[in-house]
Amino acid sequence: MGRIHSRAMAAKVTSAEAAAEYIHPGDRVGMSGFTGAGHPKAVPQALSRRIGEANARGEGFAISLWTGAATAPELAAALADVDGLDLLLPFQSDPVTRRAVNSGRVDFLDLHLSHIAPMVSQGVLGNLDVAVIEIIGITEDGALIPSTSLGNNKTWLDEADRVILEVNSRQPERLYGMHDVFGDAKPPHRSPIPIAHASDRIGTTTLHCPPEKVVAIVETDQPDVAAAFKPADPQSEMIAGHLLEFLHHEVKYHRLPPALLPLQSGVGNVANAVLAGLDEGSFHQLTSYTEIIQDGMLALLRSGTMSFASATSFCLSAAGIAELETNLADYHDRIMLRPQEISNHPEVIRRLGCLAMNGMIEADLYGNVNSTHVMGSSMQNGIGGSGDFARHSYISMFLTPSTAKGGALSCIVPMVSHVDHTEHDVHVLVTEQGLADLRGLSPRRRAQKIISQCAHPDFRPALQDYLDRASAASAGKHTPHLLSEALSWHARYLDTGTMSV
Ligand code: COA
């Protein structure tokens, strides 16, 4: 029976094409998957073929796709490619879906990742028709063994009318036992979530679904999508260097303990460079309470610098996947995957005192941060978990190179063109130029510090000039702005291809 040890479930095995027939035009479909990990591999492909054929006949077949935060090309991108998506939530990051969203062909809901499960169980997003969930096996009594991400799987299984399972035998069986499945109750029946340390186990190792809801099971044997990390560039290393110096400083002044506090690290090259820097430094017994485990974090666990990591998913390069699989016995009891409602839960983040480190598109003089919208209107990826962590962390840090597009634009601007994280949620900004600790500073002092510490020298004089003139002419002196000019840098870039005058 391979990975399916329940006879009743084994009787439901069918082909991906037959399983995809259970998905109808207009359905809301919740699929597993977070970054490139743990998504269904076969049913979405079969579905996109079917939709492609239907749409070629002019039948107008599209679905609403809800995931954890899946970014695998064979999922949302394959469906967007055949005009099979009406609505997508909550995250995307590949060129095909990005184009579909920014051309207005696909509606996209950019949501805090911890908010989705409660919203779905409240019913505000409508009824979930189908769940398509990758698992790695089914026990004799019908329990479902989760795969390389947990995401929203528990909620999809609880809420969907019909369930399709993909049992992926390519994923290591030894993942069994690394998950902690726990669902928050609906108010007014909630109690405190009993996580006091990143390693606390509060739930079960398996997912559960009433067998009568399972309409089809498909066996697969395909790997996750490997994340592509560029080798650390000098800018990322400089950003990492400033951040590590700051952490050492905070320890020296007893504002952080020697083992720091649980780390949350966003995805990307800068985050990887920070994690690599931590491995070379003098920190020990680090922990993380984060959303994804990427290569840098695996390396910290492997070297022993980090003792435990809690997340909802892996996000690994091909080398990282090979490393995880080869040494899974070593990682097994030091990594825990939780539902994203819990990995990103504000209550737990606040209690543990996480140190949040996330990338951004741009920040303004007062510390407002745009993580999502290029020039205020084009979606890049989505807010992901950055908001869950930024507002509730002990220290909330945002990182970016000081310029983008070959130096044509400044990532420090007079006013951000879209706000994801307000000045109230941003404690520290870091660029390759330096680090601005904004805590305890009034808006005008923040502006001065951001210009001198974070802005690129090419843009510093113009930012200073804006601040000086705004301070003189602004109606209010608390957060001085020249409203007719505040977004002129973006307008100039759109008109001329550069923010420089
Ligand atoms: N204005 C316009 N475009 C900008 C820009 C700016 N100020 N800053 C960066 N960009 C562009 C880059 O040029 C690049 O464009 P390209 O893809 O056409 O080359 C793109 O945005 C990504 O920039 P990059 O420097 O490669 O950033 P990154 O990989 O470090 O990602 C974010 C930065 C903000 C996109 C990323 O951190 C993100 O998606 N954040 C939101 C989600 C999140 O924080 N999740 C964390 C919880 S896991």
Side-chain angles (χ1 to χ4, degrees):
M1 283 208 284
R3 297 274 186 102
I4 306 174
H5 297 283
S6 148
R7 282 186 187 282
M9 292 291 217
K12 300 187 184 197
V13 170
T14 185
S15 67
E17 285 70 24
E21 294 287 334
Y22 287 99
I23 300 172
H24 310 134
D27 273 355
R28 298 187 188 93
V29 184
M31 295 206 190
S32 63
F34 201 104
T35 60
H39 58 286
K41 289 19 178 211
V43 175
Q45 302 267 30
L47 180 63
S48 88
R49 284 193 293 275
R50 185 169 150 231
I51 291 180
E53 286 161 17
N55 286 345
R57 295 191 297 269
E59 290 173 17
F61 189 157
I63 62 163
S64 291
L65 176 63
W66 307 352
T67 71
T71 59
E74 65 255 52
L75 203 73
L79 292 165
D81 218 17
V82 293
D83 288 327
L85 288 184
D86 261 341
L87 178 136
L88 173 66
L89 67 86
F91 195 74
Q92 53 75 44
S93 70
D94 69 88
V96 176
T97 38
R98 192 177 294 137
R99 260 197 311 276
V101 168
N102 287 324
S103 66
R105 282 191 293 124
V106 172
D107 280 343
F108 176 57
L109 286 191
D110 181 22
L111 301 170
H112 292 305
L113 297 187
S114 73
H115 282 192
I116 300 158
M119 271 188 181
V120 170
S121 49
Q122 274 175 55
V124 291
L125 298 177
N127 180 61
L128 184 62
D129 299 293
V130 191
V132 187
I133 309 290
E134 176 175 286
I135 52 174
I136 64 164
I138 303 179
T139 65
E140 222 168 307
D141 58 1
L144 314 178
I145 307 170
S147 183
T148 41
S149 66
L150 256 183
N152 287 316
N153 295 357
K154 180 182 183 316
T155 304
W156 298 168
L157 290 169
D158 288 347
E159 300 293 330
D161 295 340
R162 308 185 286 285
V163 170
I164 298 169
L165 299 171
E166 283 197 7
V167 181
N168 188 350
S169 54
R170 172 67 182 71
Q171 304 283 21
E173 275 189 293
R174 278 218 62 142
L175 288 170
Y176 192 5
M178 294 177 80
H179 306 86
D180 188 37
V181 181
F182 178 91
D184 212 356
K186 276 196 218 172
H189 307 292
R190 286 187 179 154
S191 5
I193 294 172
I195 297 177
H197 304 97
S199 55
D200 285 348
R201 176 175 282 287
I202 60 170
T204 57
T205 53
T206 51
L207 289 157
H208 295 271
C209 175
E212 60 278 12
K213 285 211 305 194
V214 179
V215 292
I217 299 179
V218 177
E219 290 179 300
T220 65
D221 183 20
Q222 279 169 259
D224 281 338
V225 174
F229 295 117
K230 297 176 229 155
D233 54 56
Q235 268 190 339
S236 304
E237 284 172 356
M238 284 164 83
I239 293 170
H242 298 310
L243 199 141
L244 293 168
E245 201 181 315
F246 168 74
L247 294 176
H248 279 290
H249 181 268
E250 292 301 289
V251 172
K252 186 172 161 197
Y253 287 94
H254 308 290
R255 289 195 285 258
L256 284 178
L260 302 179
L261 289 164
L263 303 169
Q264 179 262 333
S265 164
V267 71
N269 301 312
V270 175
N272 255 336
V274 171
L275 297 173
L278 282 167
D279 218 5
E280 287 158 16
S282 53
F283 294 112
H284 302 290
Q285 292 294 309
L286 299 179
T287 56
S288 80
Y289 194 82
T290 191
E291 192 178 286
I292 45 146
I293 292 175
Q294 56 180 317
D295 290 32
M297 199 161 279
L298 215 53
L300 284 171
L301 286 160
R302 187 90 184 118
S303 69
T305 304
M306 181 169 281
S307 55
F308 195 90
S310 163
T312 191
S313 177
F314 292 100
C315 176
L316 299 170
S317 68
I321 293 173
E323 161 63 26
L324 175 74
E325 292 181 356
T326 309
N327 295 302
L328 199 47
D330 177 39
Y331 294 117
H332 190 273
D333 298 333
R334 298 197 295 139
I335 292 178
M336 193 179 283
L337 299 184
R338 307 177 188 274
Q340 68 196 65
E341 181 185 10
I342 304 299
S343 66
N344 289 26
H345 202 293
E347 173 195 334
V348 182
I349 293 165
R350 181 65 68 92
R351 181 179 302 124
L352 299 185
C354 290
L355 304 178
M357 303 178 283
N358 288 299
M360 64 177 173
I361 298 278
E362 60 183 5
D364 69 22
L365 291 180
Y366 299 110
N368 298 290
V369 163
N370 171 9
S371 289
T372 54
H373 285 71
V374 170
M375 299 298 137
S377 61
S378 292
M379 174 55 66
Q380 182 67 18
N381 298 331
I383 194 167
S386 58
D388 292 324
F389 282 93
R391 175 153 292 179
H392 305 285
S393 283
Y394 199 67
I395 308 180
S396 170
M397 299 170 265
F398 282 92
L399 331 170
T400 181
S402 64
T403 60
K405 304 292 178 204
L409 53 80
S410 173
C411 298
I412 307 296
V413 288
M415 181 184 267
V416 282
S417 56
H418 173 93
V419 188
D420 291 294
H421 312 290
T422 74
E423 54 176 349
H424 313 285
D425 301 332
V426 178
H427 299 144
V428 171
L429 289 180
V430 197
T431 71
E432 82 290 353
Q433 299 296 322
L435 178 145
D437 182 355
L438 307 176
R439 295 172 298 174
L441 298 184
S442 66
R444 280 179 299 166
R445 286 176 193 271
R446 286 204 296 270
Q448 203 53 66
K449 194 154 203 172
I450 292 169
I451 293 173
S452 59
Q453 301 291 112
C454 296
H456 192 278
D458 289 352
F459 290 100
R460 254 180 231 161
L463 287 166
Q464 187 65 52
D465 176 56
Y466 176 87
L467 180 63
D468 292 345
R469 286 185 297 111
S471 300
S474 178
K477 306 294 183 206
H478 176 255
T479 305
H481 264 305
L482 300 170
L483 291 183
S484 59
E485 229 183 272
L487 293 172
S488 64
W489 291 37
H490 299 83
R492 188 158 55 243
Y493 177 76
L494 288 174
D495 284 347
T496 68
T498 175
M499 281 186 175
S500 301
V501 187

